[in-house]
Amino acid sequence: MGKAQTIFVCQQCGKESIKWLGHCPDCDGWNTFVETLRAAASQTATIHTSNTPRELCQIADEDKPRLSVSMEEFDRVLGGGIVPGSLVLIGGDPGIGKSTLLLQICAIIAHGHKKVLYVTGEESLGQMRLRAKRLGLEGERLFVLSETNFESILAHIQQVSPDLVIIDSIQTVYLDELGGAPGSVGQIRECTMRMMQWAKKENVPVLISGHVTKDGSIAGPRVLEHIVDVVLYLEGDPFSAYRLLRGVKNRFGSTNEVGIFEMKNEGLAEVANPSEVFLSQRSKETIGSAVVPTLEGTRPLLVEIQALTSTTSYGPPRRIANGIDFNRLLLITAVLTKRAGLALGNQDILVNVAGGLKVNEPAADLGIALAIASSLHGVTIDPALVAIGELGLSGELRAVPQPERRISEAAKLGFKRCILPLTKRPNAPSSIELISAASVREALRMALPKGGDKASAA
Ligand SMILES: Nc1ncnc2c1ncn2[C@@H]1O[C@H](COP(=O)(O)OP(=O)(O)OP(=O)(O)O)[C@@H](O)[C@H]1O
Ligand SMILES: [Mg+2]
Ligand SMILES: [Zn+2]
């Protein structure tokens, strides 16, 4: 072998270069290249020479069933249990509850007479014990190991021969033979790849956790997302107890499913009827509040949008968006000003989604517009009304996907009227009245009792 070679690797996207670069041409990152020892990479290629091509129909069916977690919210996101031999990445902000969730899953699996090995690189065994105690978990068949050296972890895994392995977190694990600190792209990628090979060879599932960086990607990130089979993100507002587990990639099921949990003293509890919970704190007859039936994956979720407008006292008017996209707020504000004649030019506007939820769907546009208009005019929106519709730039209301699901969820929770875009009439329960509107101006007139269209009347 020649002398050890070093290369430079972008810590954001994994691009390699033989010389240092200040700016990454692939991901536009600045100062992201770090010198790394090039390891004997050819070694991985030889492992597979014993594999020969086989006819697809000759391969025996996998008869090992999925490991069901009997935690419906988690199973739903995975598409029904953990597939044997799969590598699942659970990402999330620091402190959001990844370790808590993983430990709870372990306990459930171990309770079902399976052996589980939980490898922690971040906490001492004493801390683990404390957490388990707080969560009220027993520890039978649940083995814990505090270790960060990958080779040594692998040796322990072989020895314990568990039915499920947890690595918490992948950023703390390192391979001696590689240069670079734990958590660098090279380390994370290589460790993940080897874990994957092990999982596939032994047909044992592995769950790994990873922190995300400030910009929301898993540190050493997109590289990881394509290696692993399943990527889940645990997200939520740090000041709210609710956590959403979102499927971002899934080789064995649909993505975009969400599981909804509440962080309690005893750990993450499933929230079975989220719409009810998120609306429970809503006081009727509130100015600047509108309810929108959104869709999270295939699941309808009613959320309350709150808006507050107040006359700007100094400088240019401010826009603050909590839980919705800032640019979306600018667009809606512009459409309301231009197409519905609302005088928002001298108003600060704050929009917030109750419960710390995030709503990314354009289907929520109309609800946001109604909340803003309600606050501006100081009138309440009928508390039994929900609104769906995307706003176009000329003020028209556009159709949204799957209106039926949204409407029936609203009906189930006792809402009586729904404003929606003028399209083919969706099927809806008779308890809810459908009101179609072609434009945002029309929708405002219908939703706001009076003064809703003040500007145009003047
Ligand atoms: N005694 C407690 N009672 C209620 N909730 C608690 C308690 N202790 C911790 N928590 C919750 O658990 C969260 C930490 O969970 P956890 O350690 O699982 O997060 P994590 O995502 O693994 O964090 P890290 O990135 O640091 O590993 C805290 O933010 C807090 O919300
Ligand atoms: Mg943790
Ligand atoms: Zn890059």
PDB file of all heavy atoms in Angstrom, residues 49-75:
ATOM      1  N   THR A  49     -17.259 -10.444  -3.310  1.00  0.00           N
ATOM      2  CA  THR A  49     -16.960 -11.295  -4.457  1.00  0.00           C
ATOM      3  C   THR A  49     -17.582 -12.675  -4.329  1.00  0.00           C
ATOM      4  O   THR A  49     -17.734 -13.376  -5.315  1.00  0.00           O
ATOM      5  CB  THR A  49     -15.433 -11.433  -4.654  1.00  0.00           C
ATOM      6  OG1 THR A  49     -14.860 -11.697  -3.382  1.00  0.00           O
ATOM      7  CG2 THR A  49     -14.832 -10.196  -5.269  1.00  0.00           C
ATOM      8  N   SER A  50     -17.947 -13.049  -3.109  1.00  0.00           N
ATOM      9  CA  SER A  50     -18.587 -14.356  -2.955  1.00  0.00           C
ATOM     10  C   SER A  50     -20.045 -14.320  -3.426  1.00  0.00           C
ATOM     11  O   SER A  50     -20.651 -15.351  -3.642  1.00  0.00           O
ATOM     12  CB  SER A  50     -18.531 -14.791  -1.490  1.00  0.00           C
ATOM     13  OG  SER A  50     -19.173 -13.810  -0.717  1.00  0.00           O
ATOM     14  N   ASN A  51     -20.597 -13.119  -3.562  1.00  0.00           N
ATOM     15  CA  ASN A  51     -21.979 -13.010  -4.039  1.00  0.00           C
ATOM     16  C   ASN A  51     -22.029 -13.268  -5.536  1.00  0.00           C
ATOM     17  O   ASN A  51     -21.218 -12.751  -6.283  1.00  0.00           O
ATOM     18  CB  ASN A  51     -22.522 -11.600  -3.788  1.00  0.00           C
ATOM     19  CG  ASN A  51     -22.782 -11.369  -2.324  1.00  0.00           C
ATOM     20  OD1 ASN A  51     -22.780 -12.315  -1.534  1.00  0.00           O
ATOM     21  ND2 ASN A  51     -22.984 -10.130  -1.966  1.00  0.00           N
ATOM     22  N   THR A  52     -22.974 -14.084  -5.947  1.00  0.00           N
ATOM     23  CA  THR A  52     -23.137 -14.315  -7.375  1.00  0.00           C
ATOM     24  C   THR A  52     -24.540 -13.897  -7.771  1.00  0.00           C
ATOM     25  O   THR A  52     -25.444 -13.922  -6.939  1.00  0.00           O
ATOM     26  CB  THR A  52     -22.951 -15.807  -7.705  1.00  0.00           C
ATOM     27  OG1 THR A  52     -23.733 -16.575  -6.786  1.00  0.00           O
ATOM     28  CG2 THR A  52     -21.496 -16.221  -7.629  1.00  0.00           C
ATOM     29  N   PRO A  53     -24.725 -13.550  -9.036  1.00  0.00           N
ATOM     30  CA  PRO A  53     -26.073 -13.169  -9.466  1.00  0.00           C
ATOM     31  C   PRO A  53     -27.020 -14.359  -9.355  1.00  0.00           C
ATOM     32  O   PRO A  53     -26.631 -15.484  -9.657  1.00  0.00           O
ATOM     33  CB  PRO A  53     -25.885 -12.764 -10.927  1.00  0.00           C
ATOM     34  CG  PRO A  53     -24.436 -12.553 -11.103  1.00  0.00           C
ATOM     35  CD  PRO A  53     -23.746 -13.413 -10.110  1.00  0.00           C
ATOM     36  N   ARG A  54     -28.231 -14.085  -8.896  1.00  0.00           N
ATOM     37  CA  ARG A  54     -29.218 -15.160  -8.802  1.00  0.00           C
ATOM     38  C   ARG A  54     -30.518 -14.746  -9.446  1.00  0.00           C
ATOM     39  O   ARG A  54     -30.865 -13.565  -9.480  1.00  0.00           O
ATOM     40  CB  ARG A  54     -29.468 -15.511  -7.324  1.00  0.00           C
ATOM     41  CG  ARG A  54     -28.329 -16.287  -6.718  1.00  0.00           C
ATOM     42  CD  ARG A  54     -28.434 -16.306  -5.215  1.00  0.00           C
ATOM     43  NE  ARG A  54     -29.623 -17.013  -4.764  1.00  0.00           N
ATOM     44  CZ  ARG A  54     -30.074 -16.949  -3.508  1.00  0.00           C
ATOM     45  NH1 ARG A  54     -29.450 -16.212  -2.632  1.00  0.00           N
ATOM     46  NH2 ARG A  54     -31.134 -17.626  -3.151  1.00  0.00           N
ATOM     47  N   GLU A  55     -31.235 -15.724  -9.942  1.00  0.00           N
ATOM     48  CA  GLU A  55     -32.498 -15.412 -10.578  1.00  0.00           C
ATOM     49  C   GLU A  55     -33.480 -14.973  -9.490  1.00  0.00           C
ATOM     50  O   GLU A  55     -33.600 -15.644  -8.465  1.00  0.00           O
ATOM     51  CB  GLU A  55     -33.007 -16.659 -11.304  1.00  0.00           C
ATOM     52  CG  GLU A  55     -33.894 -16.335 -12.480  1.00  0.00           C
ATOM     53  CD  GLU A  55     -34.285 -17.604 -13.221  1.00  0.00           C
ATOM     54  OE1 GLU A  55     -33.689 -18.667 -12.930  1.00  0.00           O
ATOM     55  OE2 GLU A  55     -35.176 -17.532 -14.065  1.00  0.00           O
ATOM     56  N   LEU A  56     -34.173 -13.896  -9.754  1.00  0.00           N
ATOM     57  CA  LEU A  56     -35.040 -13.305  -8.731  1.00  0.00           C
ATOM     58  C   LEU A  56     -36.054 -14.306  -8.188  1.00  0.00           C
ATOM     59  O   LEU A  56     -36.303 -14.391  -6.986  1.00  0.00           O
ATOM     60  CB  LEU A  56     -35.753 -12.092  -9.332  1.00  0.00           C
ATOM     61  CG  LEU A  56     -36.559 -11.217  -8.388  1.00  0.00           C
ATOM     62  CD1 LEU A  56     -35.716 -10.717  -7.244  1.00  0.00           C
ATOM     63  CD2 LEU A  56     -37.160 -10.037  -9.144  1.00  0.00           C
ATOM     64  N   CYS A  57     -36.621 -15.125  -9.096  1.00  0.00           N
ATOM     65  CA  CYS A  57     -37.676 -16.039  -8.653  1.00  0.00           C
ATOM     66  C   CYS A  57     -37.128 -17.198  -7.826  1.00  0.00           C
ATOM     67  O   CYS A  57     -37.876 -17.912  -7.163  1.00  0.00           O
ATOM     68  CB  CYS A  57     -38.454 -16.560  -9.851  1.00  0.00           C
ATOM     69  SG  CYS A  57     -37.427 -17.476 -10.988  1.00  0.00           S
ATOM     70  N   GLN A  58     -35.809 -17.393  -7.850  1.00  0.00           N
ATOM     71  CA  GLN A  58     -35.211 -18.495  -7.101  1.00  0.00           C
ATOM     72  C   GLN A  58     -34.916 -18.120  -5.649  1.00  0.00           C
ATOM     73  O   GLN A  58     -34.582 -18.970  -4.841  1.00  0.00           O
ATOM     74  CB  GLN A  58     -33.881 -18.932  -7.749  1.00  0.00           C
ATOM     75  CG  GLN A  58     -33.991 -19.370  -9.184  1.00  0.00           C
ATOM     76  CD  GLN A  58     -34.760 -20.673  -9.310  1.00  0.00           C
ATOM     77  OE1 GLN A  58     -34.697 -21.522  -8.445  1.00  0.00           O
ATOM     78  NE2 GLN A  58     -35.519 -20.800 -10.394  1.00  0.00           N
ATOM     79  N   ILE A  59     -35.014 -16.828  -5.373  1.00  0.00           N
ATOM     80  CA  ILE A  59     -34.664 -16.384  -4.026  1.00  0.00           C
ATOM     81  C   ILE A  59     -35.826 -16.680  -3.083  1.00  0.00           C
ATOM     82  O   ILE A  59     -36.980 -16.360  -3.382  1.00  0.00           O
ATOM     83  CB  ILE A  59     -34.352 -14.872  -4.031  1.00  0.00           C
ATOM     84  CG1 ILE A  59     -33.179 -14.607  -4.984  1.00  0.00           C
ATOM     85  CG2 ILE A  59     -34.017 -14.382  -2.627  1.00  0.00           C
ATOM     86  CD1 ILE A  59     -32.926 -13.156  -5.273  1.00  0.00           C
ATOM     87  N   ALA A  60     -35.484 -17.334  -1.982  1.00  0.00           N
ATOM     88  CA  ALA A  60     -36.531 -17.704  -1.028  1.00  0.00           C
ATOM     89  C   ALA A  60     -37.198 -16.459  -0.468  1.00  0.00           C
ATOM     90  O   ALA A  60     -36.549 -15.436  -0.258  1.00  0.00           O
ATOM     91  CB  ALA A  60     -35.911 -18.522   0.101  1.00  0.00           C
ATOM     92  N   ASP A  61     -38.504 -16.556  -0.240  1.00  0.00           N
ATOM     93  CA  ASP A  61     -39.226 -15.436   0.362  1.00  0.00           C
ATOM     94  C   ASP A  61     -38.685 -15.176   1.760  1.00  0.00           C
ATOM     95  O   ASP A  61     -38.369 -16.099   2.488  1.00  0.00           O
ATOM     96  CB  ASP A  61     -40.727 -15.762   0.476  1.00  0.00           C
ATOM     97  CG  ASP A  61     -41.406 -15.632  -0.867  1.00  0.00           C
ATOM     98  OD1 ASP A  61     -40.815 -14.977  -1.739  1.00  0.00           O
ATOM     99  OD2 ASP A  61     -42.494 -16.203  -1.027  1.00  0.00           O
ATOM    100  N   GLU A  62     -38.605 -13.913   2.087  1.00  0.00           N
ATOM    101  CA  GLU A  62     -38.235 -13.574   3.452  1.00  0.00           C
ATOM    102  C   GLU A  62     -39.417 -13.942   4.341  1.00  0.00           C
ATOM    103  O   GLU A  62     -40.503 -13.414   4.186  1.00  0.00           O
ATOM    104  CB  GLU A  62     -37.997 -12.063   3.558  1.00  0.00           C
ATOM    105  CG  GLU A  62     -36.812 -11.566   2.784  1.00  0.00           C
ATOM    106  CD  GLU A  62     -35.518 -11.808   3.524  1.00  0.00           C
ATOM    107  OE1 GLU A  62     -35.589 -12.218   4.691  1.00  0.00           O
ATOM    108  OE2 GLU A  62     -34.448 -11.604   2.922  1.00  0.00           O
ATOM    109  N   ASP A  63     -39.206 -14.856   5.254  1.00  0.00           N
ATOM    110  CA  ASP A  63     -40.371 -15.192   6.073  1.00  0.00           C
ATOM    111  C   ASP A  63     -40.320 -14.542   7.450  1.00  0.00           C
ATOM    112  O   ASP A  63     -41.223 -14.689   8.237  1.00  0.00           O
ATOM    113  CB  ASP A  63     -40.557 -16.714   6.194  1.00  0.00           C
ATOM    114  CG  ASP A  63     -39.266 -17.392   6.552  1.00  0.00           C
ATOM    115  OD1 ASP A  63     -38.285 -16.664   6.781  1.00  0.00           O
ATOM    116  OD2 ASP A  63     -39.227 -18.640   6.607  1.00  0.00           O
ATOM    117  N   LYS A  64     -39.212 -13.826   7.711  1.00  0.00           N
ATOM    118  CA  LYS A  64     -39.147 -13.167   9.001  1.00  0.00           C
ATOM    119  C   LYS A  64     -40.129 -12.001   9.023  1.00  0.00           C
ATOM    120  O   LYS A  64     -40.058 -11.117   8.177  1.00  0.00           O
ATOM    121  CB  LYS A  64     -37.717 -12.650   9.225  1.00  0.00           C
ATOM    122  CG  LYS A  64     -37.111 -13.131  10.536  1.00  0.00           C
ATOM    123  CD  LYS A  64     -35.692 -12.670  10.637  1.00  0.00           C
ATOM    124  CE  LYS A  64     -35.366 -12.329  12.062  1.00  0.00           C
ATOM    125  NZ  LYS A  64     -34.001 -11.863  12.220  1.00  0.00           N
ATOM    126  N   PRO A  65     -41.076 -12.011   9.944  1.00  0.00           N
ATOM    127  CA  PRO A  65     -42.069 -10.939   9.948  1.00  0.00           C
ATOM    128  C   PRO A  65     -41.474  -9.628  10.455  1.00  0.00           C
ATOM    129  O   PRO A  65     -40.406  -9.615  11.055  1.00  0.00           O
ATOM    130  CB  PRO A  65     -43.122 -11.457  10.925  1.00  0.00           C
ATOM    131  CG  PRO A  65     -42.382 -12.370  11.840  1.00  0.00           C
ATOM    132  CD  PRO A  65     -41.246 -12.950  11.050  1.00  0.00           C
ATOM    133  N   ARG A  66     -42.198  -8.556  10.192  1.00  0.00           N
ATOM    134  CA  ARG A  66     -41.781  -7.261  10.724  1.00  0.00           C
ATOM    135  C   ARG A  66     -41.887  -7.274  12.243  1.00  0.00           C
ATOM    136  O   ARG A  66     -42.758  -7.935  12.797  1.00  0.00           O
ATOM    137  CB  ARG A  66     -42.706  -6.167  10.199  1.00  0.00           C
ATOM    138  CG  ARG A  66     -42.510  -5.846   8.747  1.00  0.00           C
ATOM    139  CD  ARG A  66     -43.426  -4.706   8.367  1.00  0.00           C
ATOM    140  NE  ARG A  66     -43.283  -4.380   6.957  1.00  0.00           N
ATOM    141  CZ  ARG A  66     -43.200  -3.134   6.502  1.00  0.00           C
ATOM    142  NH1 ARG A  66     -43.244  -2.121   7.323  1.00  0.00           N
ATOM    143  NH2 ARG A  66     -43.088  -2.897   5.213  1.00  0.00           N
ATOM    144  N   LEU A  67     -40.992  -6.558  12.867  1.00  0.00           N
ATOM    145  CA  LEU A  67     -41.058  -6.418  14.323  1.00  0.00           C
ATOM    146  C   LEU A  67     -42.087  -5.341  14.631  1.00  0.00           C
ATOM    147  O   LEU A  67     -41.855  -4.172  14.346  1.00  0.00           O
ATOM    148  CB  LEU A  67     -39.710  -5.935  14.867  1.00  0.00           C
ATOM    149  CG  LEU A  67     -38.639  -6.928  15.270  1.00  0.00           C
ATOM    150  CD1 LEU A  67     -37.482  -6.178  15.889  1.00  0.00           C
ATOM    151  CD2 LEU A  67     -39.195  -7.949  16.228  1.00  0.00           C
ATOM    152  N   SER A  68     -43.205  -5.746  15.185  1.00  0.00           N
ATOM    153  CA  SER A  68     -44.208  -4.742  15.484  1.00  0.00           C
ATOM    154  C   SER A  68     -43.878  -4.067  16.809  1.00  0.00           C
ATOM    155  O   SER A  68     -43.502  -4.714  17.769  1.00  0.00           O
ATOM    156  CB  SER A  68     -45.592  -5.357  15.560  1.00  0.00           C
ATOM    157  OG  SER A  68     -46.469  -4.418  16.103  1.00  0.00           O
ATOM    158  N   VAL A  69     -43.994  -2.751  16.820  1.00  0.00           N
ATOM    159  CA  VAL A  69     -43.638  -2.015  18.021  1.00  0.00           C
ATOM    160  C   VAL A  69     -44.857  -1.843  18.926  1.00  0.00           C
ATOM    161  O   VAL A  69     -44.759  -1.350  20.025  1.00  0.00           O
ATOM    162  CB  VAL A  69     -43.014  -0.652  17.637  1.00  0.00           C
ATOM    163  CG1 VAL A  69     -42.484   0.070  18.849  1.00  0.00           C
ATOM    164  CG2 VAL A  69     -41.888  -0.859  16.647  1.00  0.00           C
ATOM    165  N   SER A  70     -45.989  -2.300  18.452  1.00  0.00           N
ATOM    166  CA  SER A  70     -47.279  -2.093  19.139  1.00  0.00           C
ATOM    167  C   SER A  70     -47.374  -0.706  19.779  1.00  0.00           C
ATOM    168  O   SER A  70     -47.760  -0.521  20.921  1.00  0.00           O
ATOM    169  CB  SER A  70     -47.593  -3.194  20.159  1.00  0.00           C
ATOM    170  OG  SER A  70     -46.526  -3.411  21.028  1.00  0.00           O
ATOM    171  N   MET A  71     -46.953   0.252  18.997  1.00  0.00           N
ATOM    172  CA  MET A  71     -47.125   1.661  19.348  1.00  0.00           C
ATOM    173  C   MET A  71     -47.648   2.184  18.026  1.00  0.00           C
ATOM    174  O   MET A  71     -46.897   2.322  17.078  1.00  0.00           O
ATOM    175  CB  MET A  71     -45.759   2.269  19.679  1.00  0.00           C
ATOM    176  CG  MET A  71     -45.776   3.559  20.412  1.00  0.00           C
ATOM    177  SD  MET A  71     -44.122   4.259  20.396  1.00  0.00           S
ATOM    178  CE  MET A  71     -43.806   4.485  22.094  1.00  0.00           C
ATOM    179  N   GLU A  72     -48.939   2.386  17.958  1.00  0.00           N
ATOM    180  CA  GLU A  72     -49.569   2.572  16.661  1.00  0.00           C
ATOM    181  C   GLU A  72     -48.985   3.742  15.888  1.00  0.00           C
ATOM    182  O   GLU A  72     -48.773   3.670  14.682  1.00  0.00           O
ATOM    183  CB  GLU A  72     -51.074   2.764  16.846  1.00  0.00           C
ATOM    184  CG  GLU A  72     -51.854   2.355  15.627  1.00  0.00           C
ATOM    185  CD  GLU A  72     -53.290   2.823  15.721  1.00  0.00           C
ATOM    186  OE1 GLU A  72     -53.960   2.545  16.733  1.00  0.00           O
ATOM    187  OE2 GLU A  72     -53.719   3.502  14.782  1.00  0.00           O
ATOM    188  N   GLU A  73     -48.675   4.808  16.610  1.00  0.00           N
ATOM    189  CA  GLU A  73     -48.164   6.001  15.946  1.00  0.00           C
ATOM    190  C   GLU A  73     -46.797   5.737  15.293  1.00  0.00           C
ATOM    191  O   GLU A  73     -46.465   6.318  14.278  1.00  0.00           O
ATOM    192  CB  GLU A  73     -48.041   7.153  16.942  1.00  0.00           C
ATOM    193  CG  GLU A  73     -49.354   7.596  17.541  1.00  0.00           C
ATOM    194  CD  GLU A  73     -50.263   8.234  16.506  1.00  0.00           C
ATOM    195  OE1 GLU A  73     -49.825   9.162  15.831  1.00  0.00           O
ATOM    196  OE2 GLU A  73     -51.411   7.768  16.358  1.00  0.00           O
ATOM    197  N   PHE A  74     -46.017   4.871  15.910  1.00  0.00           N
ATOM    198  CA  PHE A  74     -44.700   4.551  15.358  1.00  0.00           C
ATOM    199  C   PHE A  74     -44.834   3.571  14.199  1.00  0.00           C
ATOM    200  O   PHE A  74     -44.225   3.748  13.146  1.00  0.00           O
ATOM    201  CB  PHE A  74     -43.817   3.970  16.461  1.00  0.00           C
ATOM    202  CG  PHE A  74     -42.376   3.798  16.062  1.00  0.00           C
ATOM    203  CD1 PHE A  74     -41.542   4.893  15.975  1.00  0.00           C
ATOM    204  CD2 PHE A  74     -41.869   2.548  15.758  1.00  0.00           C
ATOM    205  CE1 PHE A  74     -40.218   4.750  15.590  1.00  0.00           C
ATOM    206  CE2 PHE A  74     -40.548   2.394  15.376  1.00  0.00           C
ATOM    207  CZ  PHE A  74     -39.714   3.501  15.297  1.00  0.00           C
ATOM    208  N   ASP A  75     -45.658   2.538  14.395  1.00  0.00           N
ATOM    209  CA  ASP A  75     -45.879   1.559  13.332  1.00  0.00           C
ATOM    210  C   ASP A  75     -46.428   2.210  12.066  1.00  0.00           C
ATOM    211  O   ASP A  75     -46.052   1.864  10.962  1.00  0.00           O
ATOM    212  CB  ASP A  75     -46.855   0.475  13.804  1.00  0.00           C
ATOM    213  CG  ASP A  75     -46.134  -0.611  14.603  1.00  0.00           C
ATOM    214  OD1 ASP A  75     -44.890  -0.590  14.593  1.00  0.00           O
ATOM    215  OD2 ASP A  75     -46.796  -1.452  15.223  1.00  0.00           O
TER     216      ASP A  75
END
